[in-house]
């Protein structure tokens, strides 16, 4: 065991962010952390303490280079350090927030930052990873940002209507009412990011369209930001169909959790097939999320890890 004291150089902004996130950082670093004024006490295994000290030295260096570190940047810097030594700190720039009508959105992990950057620079992006990693939410935020900045003229949100072990066909109502439960997660993300009345007006005018994947057949979508959600439940034919709908000045973001495929034959998932055959194309970005990117309840991260271990044993 080892105990060291790390000076914070009276960085009040950094101290505040650290104090708020001390428990999360303690868990990630595997040490005990305690703030005493402008001093940080680090206690634990010598190897973990050494790594923690390196991490806080990195934060101080980033601050000295003029970066105003937000809460999110603490964890992005830690992601980078865990992947390998930060030899090129000059290349690290905290992301600018997406300022939307209702709130500002920041990436909370290195993969989330890479995801937003990929969407900005590529016309086709796959976001692959477990539940709660921000795949759909961040794609929606980018879509609204593009619409707000007039980079696209409309948003198209779609997902396959596949039943996750439940039968909804007996529900009363017309086709739209029957499929609405499948599309509810897209509405939830939309209304969380934008003003309710504004979002409804855009939907009524057709600027934002939310529809099942089957409704996309035969269309060409120009000037649109298209999000295909829950793509793990597409067939190969459906995936080919949506990939060929993209028109000029459009972006397509495909999100999928390949650990939760509800198709009768999971191995025939359209997204798994597409990932294999499209991998050589440099114009397409594939961003893979993991349990470190989970932004839901901390227990969700532990649940994902438990399932990953169990599935690895079964394989």
């Amino acid at each position: 065991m080892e105990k060291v004291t790390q000076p914070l150089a009276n960085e009040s902004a950094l101290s505040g962010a650290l104090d708020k996130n001390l428990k999360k950082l303690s868990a990630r670093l595997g040490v005990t952390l305690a703030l005493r004024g402008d001093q940080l006490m680090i206690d634990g295994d010598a190897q973990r303490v050494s790594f923690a000290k390196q991490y806080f030295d990195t934060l101080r260096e980033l601050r000295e280079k003029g970066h105003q570190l937000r809460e999110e940047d603490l964890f992005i810097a830690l992601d980078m350090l865990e992947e390998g030594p930060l030899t090129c700190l000059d290349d690290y720039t905290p992301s600018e927030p997406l300022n939307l009508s209702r709130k500002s959105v920041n990436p909370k992990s290195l993969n989330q930052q890479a995801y937003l950057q990929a969407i900005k620079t590529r016309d086709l992006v796959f976001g692959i990873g477990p539940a709660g990693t921000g795949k759909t939410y961040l794609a929606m935020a980018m879509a609204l940002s593009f619409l707000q900045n007039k980079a696209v003229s409309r948003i198209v949100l779609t997902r396959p209507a596949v039943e996750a072990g439940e039968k909804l066909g007996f529900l009363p109502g017309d086709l739209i009412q029957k499929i609405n439960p499948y599309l509810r997660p897209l509405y939830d993300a939309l209304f969380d990011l934008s003003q309710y009345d504004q979002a409804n007006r855009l939907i009524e005018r057709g600027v934002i369209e939310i529809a099942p994947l089957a409704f996309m057949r035969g269309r060409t979508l120009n000037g649109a930001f298209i999000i295909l959600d829950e793509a793990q439940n597409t067939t190969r034919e459906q995936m080919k169909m949506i990939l060929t709908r993209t028109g000029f000045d459009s972006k397509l973001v495909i999100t999928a959790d390949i650990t939760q495929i509800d198709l009768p034959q999971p191995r025939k998932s359209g997204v798994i097939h597409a990932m294999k055959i499209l991998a050589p194309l440099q114009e397409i970005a594939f961003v893979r999320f993991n349990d470190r990117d989970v932004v839901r309840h901390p227990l969700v991260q532990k649940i994902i890890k438990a399932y990953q271990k169990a599935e690895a044993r079964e394989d």
Side-chain angles (χ1 to χ4, degrees):
M1 300 293 288
E2 185 177 345
K3 182 181 291 186
V4 300
T5 301
Q6 183 91 353
L8 292 178
N10 291 315
E11 296 284 7
S12 58
L14 181 57
S15 298
L18 284 175
D19 194 23
K20 182 181 176 183
N21 293 281
L22 222 52
K23 287 185 178 179
K24 291 181 183 177
L25 288 170
S26 291
R28 281 282 300 270
L29 292 166
V31 296
T32 300
L33 300 173
L35 274 175
R36 299 286 185 270
D38 63 351
Q39 301 289 314
L40 179 67
M41 312 297 293
I42 308 173
D43 190 9
D45 174 78
Q47 186 174 357
R48 300 308 303 172
V49 167
S50 176
F51 179 80
K53 194 171 182 301
Q54 182 185 4
Y55 166 66
F56 289 110
D57 284 340
T58 296
L59 292 184
R60 188 174 65 250
E61 189 173 343
L62 287 170
R63 291 281 294 176
E64 289 171 353
K65 289 181 178 293
H67 295 308
Q68 299 299 313
L69 299 179
R70 302 181 299 267
E71 176 184 343
E72 296 82 6
D73 299 314
L74 301 182
F75 296 97
I76 293 174
L78 182 52
D79 289 344
M80 295 177 72
L81 199 59
E82 286 178 339
E83 289 196 357
L86 273 177
T87 54
C88 298
L89 286 177
D90 290 334
D91 295 337
Y92 176 70
T93 304
S95 295
E96 290 296 321
L98 297 174
N99 295 312
L100 306 175
S101 62
R102 187 176 178 189
K103 61 172 63 175
S104 292
V105 177
N106 291 300
K108 297 184 182 301
S109 70
L110 184 61
N111 287 331
Q112 288 191 0
Q113 183 169 276
Y115 186 50
L116 293 185
Q117 185 60 30
I119 294 173
K120 288 177 184 176
T121 57
R122 308 289 181 89
D123 290 335
L124 175 55
V125 177
F126 285 77
I128 311 296
T133 51
K135 305 182 300 295
T136 303
Y137 192 82
L138 291 175
M140 184 74 75
M142 285 296 290
L144 290 169
S145 177
F146 269 68
L147 184 66
Q148 185 174 279
N149 295 324
K150 295 182 170 50
V152 297
S153 58
R154 57 179 168 157
I155 297 172
V156 178
L157 310 171
T158 186
R159 56 171 13 207
V162 175
E163 299 166 347
E166 302 174 71
K167 298 297 181 183
L168 300 178
F170 67 88
L171 293 175
D174 58 20
L175 178 62
I176 297 300
Q177 290 170 320
K178 285 180 182 291
I179 62 178
N180 190 61
Y182 296 107
L183 306 174
R184 194 72 248 170
L186 293 172
Y187 283 103
D188 290 343
L190 173 62
F191 290 132
D192 187 65
L193 288 163
S194 57
Q195 300 292 342
Y196 186 84
D197 291 341
Q198 179 190 33
N200 273 325
R201 283 196 301 271
L202 292 173
I203 292 171
E204 289 170 3
R205 289 164 45 200
V207 176
I208 296 179
E209 178 184 354
I210 305 177
L213 183 57
F215 286 22
M216 298 297 111
R217 191 171 296 279
R219 302 176 61 184
T220 300
L221 301 171
N222 293 317
F225 194 115
I226 310 151
I227 300 174
L228 170 59
D229 193 33
E230 298 287 342
Q232 72 273 9
N233 290 327
T234 59
T235 63
R236 293 181 180 184
E237 293 76 16
Q238 287 174 322
M239 180 57 66
K240 181 181 178 182
M241 180 268 289
I242 192 65
L243 288 171
T244 55
R245 295 308 93 202
T246 310
F248 293 105
D249 301 317
S250 288
K251 281 188 178 289
L252 174 58
V253 179
I254 295 172
T255 72
D257 178 359
I258 57 176
T259 68
Q260 297 191 51
I261 300 175
D262 300 314
L263 294 171
Q265 296 178 290
R267 293 186 181 277
K268 292 190 176 181
S269 168
V271 77
I272 292 177
H273 182 247
M275 288 166 62
K276 289 179 181 176
I277 65 174
L278 299 179
L281 300 181
Q282 298 299 314
E283 298 88 347
I284 300 173
F286 295 87
V287 180
R288 289 172 172 80
F289 297 88
N290 54 50
D291 58 272
R292 289 192 310 196
D293 303 303
V294 172
V295 290
R296 292 181 183 170
H297 191 287
L299 184 58
V300 174
Q301 193 175 74
K302 294 181 180 179
I303 290 170
I304 290 170
K305 283 184 177 179
Y307 269 92
Q308 288 175 339
K309 288 180 180 178
E311 287 162 2
R313 287 195 299 268
E314 290 171 4
D315 291 342

